[in-house]
Amino acid sequence: MNLKRIIDVAMGREKADLVLKGASVLNVFTEQLEHKDVAICDGYIAGLGRYDGKEEVDLSGKIIVPGFMDAHMHLESTLLTPAEFERGSLPCGTTAIMADPHEIANVAGTEGIDYMMKLCKGLDMHIYFNLPSCVPAAPLEESGETLEAEDLKPYYQKENVLGLAEVMNSFGVCEGDSGLLNKIADAKAHGKIIDGHAPFLGGKDLCAYTAAGVRSDHECTDAQEAIDKLARGQWIMVREGTAAKNLNALLPICKPPYCYRAMLCTDDRHPGGLLEEGHLDAIIRKAVDKGVSPVHAIQMCTYNTATYFGLKDYGAVAPRYHADLVVLSDFIDFNAEQVYIDGKRVAENGRILNDNVKPLPDSEKVLHSFHMPKVTPDQLRFKEIKERQRVIGLKRRELLTDEIIIQPTDEGLLKNGIDLKRDILKAAVFERHHDTGHIGIGFIQGYGIKRGAIATSVAHDSHNLIVAGCSEEDIAAAANAVREMGGGLVIVEDGKVVESLPLPIAGLMSPLPIEEVNRRLNRLKEAAKRLGASEDIDPFMTLAFVSLPVIPVMRLNGKGLINVNRQEIVEATF
């Protein structure tokens, strides 16, 4: 930036590169709308007032606000390449995201992080990274790689790395796990932020967690939990994604005084949500519809986010701030009519203006990530059924699960514990990174399907292969279909694949356009409904979290059934 020139433009001695004229401008500092021209010079805002520009755009009757910033999300969980995610979210007003490449790192380690950074290079959107803190997510995981503090340390030199991502192992922090504390210490030594992930944490555990330097949380499920964490100095990320939707429960903290230390994030967002509802604009719209002030909702994904992450020149429409701007039609629909990044128009009327899609770079670990033997139905059968059967109880619209104890009955009991009358299905997790042959077998209730099987290689966070089904034959067929694709989503009925979506990038992402990925996802979901999948769940996103042993209470991975609260295997299967 030419300092002398931006001063001359601010003073009106020189014409601005671009002047946005006639709009109302949201001042996130005073919470007022000001009728001012916005003068832009070298990608920065030079001044607000009356200005002349080399280019002038009449925005009479519109509202200019800062570009929206997603405080926490996983690009991998969109199932899209970053370029296709940008194509779906940039026209919605999202100009920056804080990405955690945790998913691809669990598959391919630092090579996965490097690969994701390569995919993001050259995009218009500002994509910042927070380094995965827990690879694997917990000691009982079977991930593709393990990342220690020394593996992460070189990345802190990169300009687009802002901190250490969600520290999910709160138990490890409180117990003083040396490897985890080394990661936290390195982030602090480099002046970086440390994000949290600690559902239900309170009391002395919360004090210890925050004393370690963890400054945020996106796992609050009710307002009191959020207020308790705010009271201990944490910032709260209000999450409204595809799987977890916490906005309604957290509406009280979207208002003063709490909203000034709150942010919006999606965490996980599927293509259908992007195309049909939007991105952060959809959360703003919902929040305002529920009574949140439009100004506070916008602050929560602009200035607050920038402040938390130490991005001093972002998040406001003010002199010396980056000209990342969204032109809205009103504060009702929040339609982004134009989007600017660094003073350049990058999207207009729902359409991205630059095609940033490029060929995929090569990577053996990322593009050839499946290493597991073929599955047979006999591997999935128990020699005997226990008198008391532990079952993972799924909860509607939540990632949390219950531990349910089932007494098998003769009526409705199928072989090997599957009981369709009581909605009890068999689930299996197959270790797919190191060809160990490990298979964890358990049961889930609340999934709904009455025939066939559903499989996915998107299985948080280690992303082994997880399948739920009504028979061992269909479970094996679904597992083998995903294995042969090198990753993806599959629905099987009567031993045959009826719908599929290959995900060859680490078993997590598709190189296809967002519209095609969405079309195939819709077909998969329709097929799942035909099998009887519950209406109030996303069949793939829900299944993906059944194997994550950091969210209470019961989970299943390749080692068996895990009680998350005790961090112990309660039923080993090998």
Side-chain angles (χ1 to χ4, degrees), residues 369-572:
S369 64
F370 253 74
H371 307 283
M372 60 172 279
K374 192 172 182 179
V375 179
T376 66
D378 284 344
Q379 293 174 287
L380 306 172
R381 296 188 175 100
F382 293 126
K383 292 180 181 178
E384 59 183 24
I385 299 299
K386 298 178 181 179
E387 291 184 6
R388 298 171 72 250
Q389 183 172 287
R390 279 191 175 93
V391 174
I392 299 171
L394 304 180
K395 302 182 80 169
R396 292 182 177 183
R397 298 183 180 89
E398 287 190 29
L399 300 182
L400 303 171
T401 64
D402 290 321
E403 178 178 9
I404 300 172
I405 303 298
I406 296 291
Q407 302 288 342
T409 61
D410 291 333
E411 184 182 357
L413 181 66
L414 303 184
K415 55 185 177 180
N416 274 283
I418 300 168
D419 189 341
L420 298 186
K421 286 193 174 182
R422 288 190 287 181
D423 192 16
I424 299 172
L425 307 176
K426 182 168 284 187
V429 176
F430 305 86
E431 194 283 322
R432 59 106 165 175
H433 302 295
H434 302 294
D435 205 13
T436 63
H438 291 170
I439 306 173
I441 302 172
F443 298 91
I444 61 174
Q445 186 177 55
Y447 198 60
I449 64 172
K450 304 300 181 187
R451 58 188 187 279
I454 298 177
T456 174
S457 57
V458 179
H460 298 291
D461 277 338
S462 287
H463 299 292
N464 289 301
L465 171 59
I466 185 167
V467 190
C470 303
S471 73
E472 290 80 10
E473 288 75 15
D474 279 345
I475 292 172
N480 289 326
V482 174
R483 170 182 174 270
E484 288 163 15
M485 291 193 305
L489 315 178
V490 161
I491 290 183
V492 161
E493 188 174 3
D494 296 328
K496 296 180 181 178
V497 174
V498 293
E499 294 292 349
S500 66
L501 171 62
L503 300 173
I505 305 172
L508 303 172
M509 296 181 286
S510 168
L512 295 172
I514 182 173
E515 296 86 358
E516 176 62 14
V517 174
N518 186 50
R519 186 180 70 84
R520 294 196 182 196
L521 274 175
N522 285 337
R523 283 169 40 182
L524 281 158
K525 290 174 184 177
E526 285 301 317
K529 285 181 183 177
R530 290 196 298 272
L531 297 185
S534 298
E535 291 285 339
D536 54 0
I537 67 168
D538 179 303
F540 291 98
M541 193 71 89
T542 299
L543 192 59
F545 281 97
V546 168
S547 63
L548 179 57
V550 296
I551 300 180
V553 173
M554 292 293 294
R555 302 288 152 174
L556 174 71
N557 69 9
K559 294 182 177 181
L561 273 175
I562 294 169
N563 183 295
V564 174
N565 294 340
R566 301 200 301 269
Q567 278 298 298
E568 67 180 26
I569 301 169
V570 293
E571 286 189 16

Side-chain angles (χ1 to χ4, degrees), residues 70-89:
D70 193 330
H72 172 73
M73 61 101 56
H74 305 280
L75 281 164
E76 306 95 310
S77 295
T78 67
L79 308 180
L80 305 167
T81 61
E84 287 300 319
F85 167 76
E86 180 186 65
R87 205 157 67 81
S89 60

Side-chain angles (χ1 to χ4, degrees), residues 71 78 84 104 125 135 150 210 257 288 290 323 328 357 379 381 393 437 474 487 500 505 541:
T78 67
E84 287 300 319
I104 199 168
M125 183 181 288
V135 178
E150 288 302 311
T210 53
V288 172
K290 298 287 185 178
L328 298 176
V357 178
Q379 293 174 287
R381 296 188 175 100
D474 279 345
S500 66
I505 305 172
M541 193 71 89

